[in-house]
Amino acid sequence: MSSPSSPTRGRPPRLDRARTVQTALDLLDQSGLDALTMRRLADAMNVQAGALYRYFATKQDLLTAMAERMMDGVADAAAEARGGDWGEKLAALARAMRTALLAHRDGARVFAGTHATGANTLGFADTVVGVMRAAGFPDDDAARALHTMANFTVGHTLEEQAALQPRDQGPADPGLLADAVTAGTYPHLKASLPTLTSTDFTRLFEFGLDLLIEGLKARH
């Protein structure tokens, strides 16, 4: 048994990159991106803030690593898609990406500000481009389809997560939009108000995803 004066007693767990990223994701889920600082992360890991810079030169480097972790396994969605149709595979990949971002508070905000080049992110991108090339799309269109699908998915999820924030942190109450439309002369908005103020984000996402895939099919 170690004596009370043993230098190992009370020593925090060894700092490593994987544990640092996981702790950062845990803090993200607890308090959101705005509250995630290197100092707060260091406190949660019981280390000095300077120790984190051994793995991450800047907070942006940390966010990039977090984005990469969030994409773990997302590329597998193509192989798990029902049927072999390229449209179904592309839809499955987009849905899996949205699910991965929604799994963490402010996940889309983290991902949108990074340019990860790890195996998870590049593997996902390579899978999307591969699906499109196998379907007969030329290389440039396959790459543009990747950009379009990823931008749509991230943009939608950004808005979705913003709308789901607590009212004192998120955007204005949808009721304010309804009041403004009803009080003004906006007949077209008034007719579609139930949809405009709906919180059925999955239905909205699927509508946009369907438009994207049908557009690609028309171009094919």
Side-chain angles (χ1 to χ4, degrees):
M1 179 181 296
S2 300
S3 65
S5 60
S6 170
T8 61
R9 181 177 294 275
R11 179 179 295 176
R14 180 177 177 274
L15 183 66
D16 62 69
R17 184 181 179 89
R19 190 169 72 87
T20 303
V21 173
Q22 185 56 56
T23 303
L25 287 170
D26 291 342
L27 289 175
L28 179 72
D29 292 339
Q30 292 169 17
S31 305
L33 180 57
D34 293 334
L36 176 62
T37 64
M38 298 296 273
R39 180 174 296 279
R40 185 171 184 187
L41 176 58
D43 289 344
M45 302 189 71
N46 196 24
V47 298
Q48 295 295 317
L52 299 178
Y53 294 102
R54 174 181 176 184
Y55 298 104
F56 307 103
T58 65
K59 181 181 177 181
Q60 190 62 37
D61 290 340
L62 172 65
L63 296 179
T64 298
M66 292 165 65
E68 169 67 7
R69 176 72 66 84
M70 286 190 287
M71 292 297 288
D72 184 25
V74 177
D76 297 339
E80 298 167 359
R82 297 177 181 176
D85 177 72
W86 67 264
E88 282 300 318
K89 290 182 179 180
L90 186 63
L93 287 162
R95 292 178 188 127
M97 184 181 194
R98 173 178 173 247
T99 297
L101 299 181
L102 286 174
H104 295 283
R105 180 175 174 179
D106 291 332
R109 284 182 64 196
V110 170
F111 188 89
T114 62
H115 298 282
T117 56
N120 294 332
T121 304
L122 292 185
F124 171 80
D126 188 70
T127 299
V128 173
V129 173
V131 166
M132 304 308 292
R133 293 183 72 220
F137 285 85
D139 294 348
D140 55 352
D141 281 355
R144 292 182 186 113
L146 165 65
H147 279 296
T148 302
M149 183 270 274
N151 289 341
F152 163 70
T153 302
V154 174
H156 171 92
T157 312
L158 276 168
E159 294 295 331
E160 180 174 358
Q161 290 188 310
L164 294 175
Q165 289 288 331
R167 193 58 57 201
D168 60 343
Q169 300 176 29
D173 190 325
L176 296 178
L177 172 62
D179 291 343
V181 168
T182 302
T185 54
Y186 309 104
H188 306 301
L189 292 181
K190 190 176 299 184
S192 56
L193 195 57
T195 300
L196 290 173
T197 57
S198 172
T199 57
D200 188 349
F201 296 106
T202 296
R203 186 173 183 180
L204 180 60
F205 178 77
E206 290 295 328
F207 182 84
L209 185 58
D210 183 63
L211 287 180
L212 191 157
I213 292 173
E214 289 303 315
L216 286 169
K217 287 181 177 178
R219 185 182 181 89
H220 191 21

